[in-house]
Amino acid sequence: MAKKPVRITETVLRDGHQSLTATRMRLDDMKPMLETLDKAGYFAIEAWGGATFDTCLRFLNEDPWARLDYLKAHLKTPISMLLRGQNLLGYNHYADDVVAAFVKKMVEHGIGVIRVFDALNDIRNLEVAIKAGKEAGAHVQGTCVYTISPYHTKESYVELARGLVKMGVNSICIKDMSGLLKPYVAYDLVKALKAEIGDLPLELHTHYTSGFGSMTYLKAIEAGVDIIDCALSPFALGTSQPCTETMIAALEGTDRDTNIDRHALKPAVLHFAQVKKDLAETFKLAKTSFDVNTDVLDFQIPGGMLSNLFNQLKEQGMEDKYQDLLDEMPRVRADLGYPPLVTPSSQIVGSMATFNVMMGERYKIVPREVKDLARGKYGRTPLPVNEEVREKIIGNDPIIDYRPADDIPPQMEKLKTELAEKGYPNASIEDVLSYALFPEVALEFFKNNR
């Protein structure tokens, strides 16, 4: 047996299919292999959160809460999920009572590990979710969202981790959503974080977009990382995670051997290979595999977003401006204080860059979300917003220098009343929470299912 086995979080049921097949995997696609996955010996199986909640309601006609109940009934391995702090699984900040109720309910329904992050790494936006998760008895994992900028140094991440430890998290995760973390940088970062957090487990999450994935994991393992995120081969690589079977094989016979039998995973590999094929046909997905794209090292744009930006320009007959857009993204990001590019900040920076390129003049048209970011409505940007740009887009509007959710009065009672007025007087707390996050989508779902 290995002295210090590397643990694995399996992402095939969430980030794997979110990254490669637009989150279209259904519960029925998962059911046949739950027992196989459960017996593997994973640290956790990521199966909820991220974009799954929205997609269940919007495209799959599935209740995300019922999906979680089924998974919980068939898995003894902890179910992990990704939570956007005060944004929960939506795109806006919600009131504290909504955040607390949502976290309590999802743990009741079966979430064992909550990975909670804030797009700006502003830990004030994580306070309520972390407290609620701990009170509910879940393993709460604080997140360092990884990006590269003049502000983001090894020291800045150590300081961030220090703040998360003070908040009482059970582990720390380095979340490298664009695959920017280079192998030797990973070694140094893991060493520094482990020195800071001691015995607290450290997990590393990356995407293969840049081609670094497996090398980065190997160097991180040499530096002492405890857990890595991997996807079974049909849903690995490209814009997804490094491959589960490959990482298991790479560590076999070493003192970091995972102790997972990769041959026992073969039925799941064959099953999910067929699932991927079926999803592509059912949902007319143009692509389910993505090439390595080293441009991401310069533009830092998460994989799925590149195609969206290209399509937006194409619709306007301006696809010849694509390179201009890629050049403009880093400039806008610098102007706005170097936010990490992850939901929702990636969409905010992307839309601003698109407007600048399409208008032929910078900051002529400014979306509301960009103004909100500049005003501090999403939290504190890593560096202050460029003074000239701030004046141009928000003038002398006051800057929010406190926790943004302090401005949001309690919402739960109001939401219950709204739902009653719309014909659902006896809505469950779960339905109220679904409505809080995605009002129009939830109402359409209720119309067909309640």
Side-chain angles (χ1 to χ4, degrees), residues 61-197:
N61 198 39
E62 272 187 37
D63 188 332
W65 299 101
R67 174 186 285 199
L68 186 51
D69 289 337
Y70 188 92
L71 293 169
K72 174 63 181 157
H74 293 82
L75 293 171
K76 292 186 187 71
T77 309
I79 300 168
S80 85
M81 63 91 68
L82 183 66
L83 192 77
R84 302 177 191 137
Q86 205 73 26
N87 293 27
L88 293 174
L89 301 174
Y91 301 98
N92 307 304
H93 279 197
Y94 300 96
D96 291 344
D97 63 336
V98 174
V99 174
F102 193 92
V103 172
K104 182 170 183 263
K105 274 293 165 200
M106 71 193 198
V107 175
E108 269 174 32
H109 282 265
I111 293 298
V113 179
I114 305 168
R115 178 176 298 166
V116 58
F117 79 93
D118 177 67
L120 301 177
N121 282 325
D122 185 344
I123 61 175
R124 299 173 305 175
N125 294 331
L126 304 178
E127 286 168 12
V128 177
I130 289 174
K131 184 167 177 274
K134 287 181 66 184
E135 281 174 3
H139 175 115
V140 180
Q141 186 172 75
T143 307
C144 300
V145 175
Y146 183 79
T147 186
I148 302 166
S149 82
Y151 168 83
H152 293 92
T153 59
K154 185 170 67 181
E155 292 70 28
S156 76
Y157 288 115
V158 169
E159 193 184 331
L160 175 59
R162 194 177 298 137
L164 291 166
V165 171
K166 273 191 190 138
M167 292 170 94
V169 296
N170 303 100
S171 62
I172 298 280
C173 175
I174 304 165
K175 177 178 166 60
D176 175 26
M177 61 282 168
S178 299
L180 303 172
L181 184 57
K182 296 175 180 174
Y184 288 96
V185 177
Y187 183 89
D188 291 343
L189 181 58
V190 168
K191 277 279 189 214
L193 286 172
K194 284 302 286 181
E196 176 64 36
I197 68 175

Side-chain angles (χ1 to χ4, degrees), residues 7 21 23 48 78 96 104 133 149 162 220 234 236 245 250 264 352 361 397 407:
R7 307 295 310 276
T21 57
T23 331
W48 214 66
D96 291 344
K104 182 170 183 263
S149 82
R162 194 177 298 137
E245 305 97 291
M352 189 64 257
E361 184 188 324
D397 283 7
D407 279 342

Side-chain angles (χ1 to χ4, degrees), residues 307-322 325 350-351 353-360 365:
S307 52
N308 283 346
L309 292 171
F310 181 74
N311 288 336
Q312 280 172 21
L313 286 176
K314 200 172 176 198
E315 279 165 19
Q316 303 294 327
M318 299 174 85
E319 60 260 51
D320 58 321
K321 300 267 193 225
Y322 186 55
L325 174 59
S351 62
T354 307
F355 274 116
N356 285 355
V357 167
M358 282 172 21
M359 302 312 297
I365 291 181

Side-chain angles (χ1 to χ4, degrees), residues 2 218 244-263:
L218 215 46
T244 305
E245 305 97 291
T246 309
M247 291 311 303
I248 292 170
L251 298 169
E252 278 166 6
T254 72
D255 63 352
R256 303 299 314 271
D257 193 318
T258 62
N259 299 328
I260 295 174
D261 177 6
R262 66 191 158 89
H263 300 293

